[in-house]
Amino acid sequence: MPFWHQGKIVHVDRTGDKERASDGHSRYGSYVGAREESFKDHFEDNAPLDPISFARQAWYVASPPVMSPGLVDWRPDLAKVDLERTEEGDNLAVVVTLPLTHSQLAARIPYTYGDWERYAMWSDNGYDYLQQPMVKLGQPLVTASAEIRHIPAWSLLQPTALTGPELVEEALASVEAVAAAINAELPEIIRTVLGGER
């Protein structure tokens, strides 16, 4: 299990990926191999995806729910770390979904507020996994989260491979580069949003 701290919110588990691989090399490689068509540009014959689409697809395959446990993992106090193409289409943004507890909200909600519940068995170095409370029939239940969108200073990989081990290596390199950029810039933003609490 990765060691989480304020400067690390995502982890690429290359060791666990190899240990869980049915082929003895890479479990992620098997997932990429089974989805090679999704790494091709279907508007241009025999062309790989553009760097933004390639990074998104590599991250998507590496993350839950596609891979579970994923090659990529994020800190237990975060609900999701995803990638999306910007509205202009010319860049890649990271989207972090951050659960907010009742005490972190400025306004009162006129429904039963079901605070996020800490699941201590999945805690790691003080970062607790937060789960939604159970909802009951006829009783609206509200939880809150914040979505943080940010465009880091990416250095996105230009893919060249369409198949085989070369495609897997490029996908792995893309996932690791994205994780490094996220860890370089997002932790401080998250701390600021939470008022330095985490």
Side-chain angles (χ1 to χ4, degrees):
M1 204 171 230
F3 180 80
W4 302 112
H5 51 80
Q6 288 182 354
K8 183 176 185 178
I9 63 168
V10 293
H11 174 72
V12 180
D13 188 6
R14 292 286 296 258
T15 302
D17 182 57
K18 185 172 182 176
E19 288 172 353
R20 290 188 285 271
S22 58
D23 64 2
H25 297 291
S26 171
R27 181 167 163 258
Y28 178 65
S30 298
Y31 277 70
V32 170
R35 294 163 176 79
E36 285 184 351
E37 285 300 311
S38 69
F39 286 87
K40 294 178 184 175
D41 187 333
H42 294 286
F43 296 105
E44 292 188 38
D45 290 339
N46 286 332
L49 293 172
D50 65 87
I52 294 171
S53 297
F54 186 85
R56 288 187 68 204
Q57 183 61 19
W59 188 266
Y60 171 75
V61 173
S63 306
V66 177
M67 279 187 75
S68 188
L71 169 68
V72 171
D73 195 12
W74 43 81
R75 220 169 58 188
D77 60 327
L78 307 177
K80 181 84 174 151
V81 179
D82 208 353
L83 302 177
E84 68 179 23
R85 186 180 286 270
T86 58
E87 197 170 317
E88 299 80 15
D90 61 351
N91 214 328
L92 185 68
V94 60
V95 182
V96 176
T97 305
L98 180 65
L100 298 175
T101 59
H102 196 188
S103 63
Q104 293 167 312
L105 297 177
R108 301 294 288 172
I109 297 173
Y111 292 105
T112 302
Y113 186 89
D115 217 349
W116 293 88
E117 296 173 354
R118 299 189 187 284
Y119 188 63
M121 290 187 66
W122 285 10
S123 179
D124 189 1
N125 197 37
Y127 296 99
D128 295 331
Y129 172 78
L130 299 174
Q131 62 185 9
Q132 291 187 352
M134 293 183 60
V135 64
K136 296 177 182 168
L137 181 65
Q139 297 179 11
L141 183 68
V142 178
T143 55
S145 60
E147 280 194 351
I148 300 168
R149 285 176 166 76
H150 178 67
I151 302 172
W154 302 113
S155 179
L156 297 178
L157 180 134
Q158 177 68 55
T160 59
L162 292 171
T163 187
E166 296 83 8
L167 173 62
V168 172
E169 283 307 311
E170 288 185 353
L172 279 165
S174 175
V175 167
E176 289 183 323
V178 165
I182 290 172
N183 282 330
E185 297 189 30
L186 267 295
E188 187 54 36
I189 295 170
I190 290 169
R191 275 181 42 78
T192 301
V193 169
L194 294 172
E197 290 181 29
R198 295 185 193 178

